[in-house]
Amino acid sequence: MGAVGGMLIGVALLLLSTFNPPAFAAVRGFFSEITTPVASGLTWVRGSVAGVPGGVSSYWNVRGENARLKKQIADDQLLVSRARTLNQENRHLREMLKLRDVSTDAVVAARLVASSLGSTRRYATLNAGGWQGVKTGQPVRQPDGLIGQVIETSPNTARVLLIVDPESIVPVRRTRDGLPAIATGRGDGLLDVRSASVATMIFQPGDTFVTSGTGGIFPPNIPVANVIRTSRDIAVAQPSANPDSLDFALVQQTFLPEPTPTPSPSPSAKPKAEKK
């Protein structure tokens, strides 16, 4: 039944297009207005459905690429950080070697491998010891200033008492007028500077102090501290060499050599008894 109806409609449209083309054009336009929106909707649905796999694939590709780029950025930042650290170490090592070459009392340049930054006692460990000529009492410094003093040695390591330790005492002098003072550690990374004479010393922020050579341990003119604030006859100073960024250090001979021990006299030989 439907086939016969469709055939009759087709024959009518054929006759209409043959004998009355304007009427056929109007009928064709009518049906086109009806079918075009439906066809457009079907085309959009078909395109949307067909694009779903591609969209999902693109999402995962973009997400994976984003993760890869983030990892690459993190790796690049790590490489940059390592390069900066190596560059800083190389610069410090070059400065240390230059200082060693111009020093006439250098013992050895070595690395500080550990330090006690988490307590009030401030020590550091040097990876050079008795086999490298390091002895108890020798001063330890960096190009920026004094670090401390060797207090213990083993064949290949040495323990250094840092100048910021409360037990550290360093004779110093003020650079602008040569007045003597004593620098002692506070245990918090800073130093207390007190007058070494009976007269009251007036400290000012910005005063700089170097070793005086008094006591015969520390060679003179090694930078020690810079005053940052004052309180009556005591000045709080920052060490010239930052104790929190220690890496390489130079061990030096003591300023005055140890006195040569006086040989003890050998016991005199007992006189032989005379024979009767």
Side-chain angles (χ1 to χ4, degrees):
M1 189 70 179
V4 174
M7 184 175 61
L8 293 175
I9 292 173
V11 171
L13 291 175
L14 179 61
L15 293 175
L16 186 62
S17 64
T18 302
F19 297 103
N20 193 353
F24 176 74
V27 173
R28 184 175 56 189
F30 173 75
F31 282 104
S32 179
E33 291 291 334
I34 295 175
T35 58
T36 297
V38 176
S40 298
L42 293 175
T43 300
W44 178 83
V45 172
R46 184 171 58 252
S48 299
V49 173
V52 167
V56 173
S57 177
S58 298
Y59 170 77
W60 288 110
N61 289 338
V62 170
R63 186 173 180 181
E65 181 68 11
N66 188 31
R68 187 187 68 81
L69 291 175
K70 286 183 178 180
K71 183 178 182 303
Q72 182 177 350
I73 291 174
D75 293 342
D76 291 343
Q77 289 177 343
L78 181 60
L79 290 176
V80 170
S81 177
R82 289 177 178 174
R84 288 176 178 172
T85 301
L86 289 176
N87 184 50
Q88 184 179 14
E89 287 188 354
N90 289 336
R91 179 174 59 84
H92 288 175
L93 182 58
R94 287 195 299 268
E95 293 174 352
M96 186 62 57
L97 294 177
K98 183 178 179 180
L99 176 64
R100 185 196 63 181
D101 293 340
V102 299
S103 299
T104 58
D105 56 354
V107 176
V108 64
R111 181 187 288 272
L112 290 160
V113 296
S115 60
S116 56
L117 299 179
S119 65
T120 56
R121 301 309 308 272
R122 307 301 292 271
Y123 299 100
T125 301
L126 198 69
N127 67 344
W131 289 355
Q132 290 77 34
V134 180
K135 298 179 181 179
T136 301
Q138 291 176 336
V140 183
R141 64 166 299 180
Q142 281 190 325
D144 294 337
L146 186 67
I147 292 176
Q149 181 181 11
V150 177
I151 57 173
E152 294 178 5
T153 62
S154 60
N156 287 301
T157 61
R159 197 180 192 196
V160 178
L161 178 71
L162 302 179
I163 62 172
V164 293
D165 186 90
E167 297 295 326
S168 173
I169 300 176
V170 181
V172 296
R173 64 175 181 85
R174 190 161 58 185
T175 56
R176 62 184 173 89
D177 54 15
L179 288 177
I182 299 295
T184 58
R186 293 165 50 98
D188 59 357
L190 299 176
L191 301 168
D192 282 336
V193 181
R194 296 177 174 84
S195 174
S197 61
V198 178
T200 302
M201 181 183 292
I202 304 301
F203 298 102
Q204 296 179 2
D207 283 347
T208 58
F209 290 85
V210 297
T211 52
S212 63
T214 302
I217 299 296
F218 304 102
N221 301 320
I222 300 176
V224 176
N226 304 296
V227 174
I228 57 176
R229 63 179 183 268
T230 62
S231 175
R232 295 185 179 181
D233 59 341
I234 299 177
V236 178
Q238 187 173 13
S240 300
N242 184 5
D244 295 331
S245 61
L246 301 179
D247 43 17
F248 296 98
L250 180 70
V251 181
Q252 294 180 292
Q253 298 286 355
T254 54
F255 179 45
L256 297 178
E258 297 179 1
T260 303
T262 304
S264 57
S266 58
S268 56
K270 293 182 180 180
K272 294 182 179 180
E274 296 181 357
K275 293 182 180 181
K276 295 182 178 179

